Structure formats: structure tokens, C-alpha cells
Amino acid sequence: FVYKNSPAASAGIYRGMIIKKINNNDASLAIETGNIYNLLNQNTNTYEIIDSLGQTKSITISSSKFYLNTVLSQKIIEANGVKVGYLAFETFINPSLKELENAFQDFSSQNISEFVLDLRYNGGGYVHIANKLAASIGGSRVEGKVFNNYVYNNDLSDFNESENFTTVTSSINVSRVFILVTGRTASASELIINSLRPFMDVKLIGSV
């Protein structure tokens, strides 16, 4: 996938394109031999790509700093008269707070009945961001309830503590959530799953 604020997106790169060459070097061979990072270790790189129409083109991209978007996709799908919210979430970092707030304000105003959370690409991140996402999904069902427990070994048991679900301004209050997962769904993503299970029906879809 391509981050929407990235130099690649600005240059016209989008998901589904095939990268054939990097600076005139075969991209597949570079991946196989482990040389891919050496090829990309430049401020400016030229790519030979094939787009969705099968056309070959050359695109030059210069690196820069940017804030990546952690909400990869957000939409409401109507199926058989039911409004289904869909959110693809990529990582738990501080900029996610505002992105999640905006997303759930929209979901809440649309009165969705079902919710799908796509964590297939999510390898984790900050626990407080996971807390916000879980609270936004659980709504009144989790308000004032325990989000997670920190349990240390006997030598550090004085640090044991419980953390409640955080308070959020917008939530969806659905009775169940469908979560798309893969073997890369880890850490804080797993915390989302396990923290919601005691309070609502959590359906996992995918392979691990």
C-alpha cells in the first residue's frame, strides 16, 4: 500500500502497481539477494513500474519526512438495508488519535449497525492508542470496565496494576465486531481483540 501523504503518492504511485526496476536494477532480483535496501539508500530513486492498465512508465521519487496516515481506509457499506462500518488500521501511533476520533465521529453520526475492523497489516504500537480504539468500538458496554492488567513476576509484583477503558467522545456501541487478521496482526492489535472479548461478540476472520 501507499501512504497518502508520502512522496510516492504525490508521484502517482498507487496500490496494485508492479515495480520492475529500481535505478535500472531488477527489483525482484534485488529482493531475492537481499540487496533491496542498498538500492533504496539514496535520496532520489527512479522506478520502472507497470500500472493497472499494463503500461510501463518511469517515475522518480525523492525522499522526505511526512506524517503517515494510520487509517488506510474508512467507509460505510450498505448491505440488505444494514449499515456496516469498515476501518482498515495500520499502526498505533500518536497521530492516530485524531484520525480515529474523526473516523468514529463519522461512524457514530451514520448510526452503523455492524462494524468490521481490518488489522491485517497492523503489527502493534502504543497501548493508549489501542485503548482509545477499543473504547470507541465498545462504547457504553466497556465504560468503566478493565481494559487490561499488567502482571509482573514475584520480584516486581508491586508494579501490578489494572487500566480501565478510556473515555471517548464518539463510539459506535455495536454488539459485535468482525476483525480481519493475519500472522502480522500482533501486539497492540491482539490487545484490541482480547480486551473486547469479555464485553461483546468478537469474530475473527483470516489466517494466523
Side-chain angles (χ1 to χ4, degrees):
F1 54 83
V2 181
Y3 293 114
K4 64 182 180 182
N5 298 320
S6 67
S10 299
I13 297 289
Y14 55 83
R15 180 171 178 152
M17 283 183 164
I18 299 173
I19 298 176
K20 297 293 290 182
K21 291 184 179 181
I22 304 172
N23 300 324
N24 290 321
N25 295 280
D26 184 274
S28 296
L29 181 61
I31 292 173
E32 291 174 7
T33 59
N35 192 42
I36 185 72
Y37 296 106
N38 291 330
L39 289 183
L40 294 172
N41 192 26
Q42 301 181 52
N43 289 330
T44 301
N45 296 285
T46 299
Y47 303 86
E48 181 183 301
I49 62 97
I50 301 176
D51 63 19
S52 58
L53 299 177
Q55 298 176 333
T56 299
K57 59 180 66 175
S58 177
I59 297 179
T60 298
I61 304 174
S62 296
S63 63
S64 68
K65 294 182 179 180
F66 65 96
Y67 284 103
L68 59 84
N69 56 294
T70 59
V71 172
L72 301 180
S73 179
Q74 170 197 342
K75 64 182 70 174
I76 294 175
I77 304 166
E78 293 201 31
N80 299 322
V82 177
K83 286 187 176 181
V84 181
Y86 170 83
L87 183 76
F89 190 63
E90 198 263 341
T91 191
F92 298 83
I93 56 176
N94 284 326
S96 305
L97 287 171
K98 188 60 178 178
E99 289 185 74
L100 290 174
E101 182 179 316
N102 292 338
F104 280 91
Q105 282 179 350
D106 184 47
F107 289 141
S108 179
S109 66
Q110 295 288 334
N111 295 315
I112 63 173
S113 301
E114 301 281 4
F115 186 65
V116 177
L117 177 63
D118 191 341
L119 296 177
R120 288 177 294 170
Y121 304 103
N122 197 306
Y126 290 129
V127 170
H128 71 281
I129 308 295
N131 192 331
K132 181 179 181 69
L133 176 54
S136 299
I137 296 171
S140 60
R141 296 174 184 274
V142 302
E143 188 174 350
K145 304 293 179 58
V146 173
F147 170 66
N148 70 328
N149 294 305
Y150 293 95
V151 181
Y152 293 83
N153 62 29
N154 292 336
D155 294 331
L156 298 172
S157 59
D158 289 345
F159 293 98
N160 291 353
E161 63 175 332
S162 295
E163 179 181 354
N164 286 350
F165 282 89
T166 190
T167 301
V168 294
T169 56
S170 298
S171 61
I172 51 179
N173 276 313
V174 293
S175 61
R176 62 179 179 178
V177 57
F178 298 86
I179 302 181
L180 308 184
V181 299
T182 67
R184 293 183 59 188
T185 304
S187 191
S189 292
E190 296 170 289
L191 183 55
I192 291 287
I193 296 166
N194 293 319
S195 67
L196 290 175
R197 272 180 164 164
F199 309 108
M200 61 193 305
D201 188 9
V202 177
K203 305 288 189 183
L204 295 185
I205 301 173
S207 62
V208 295

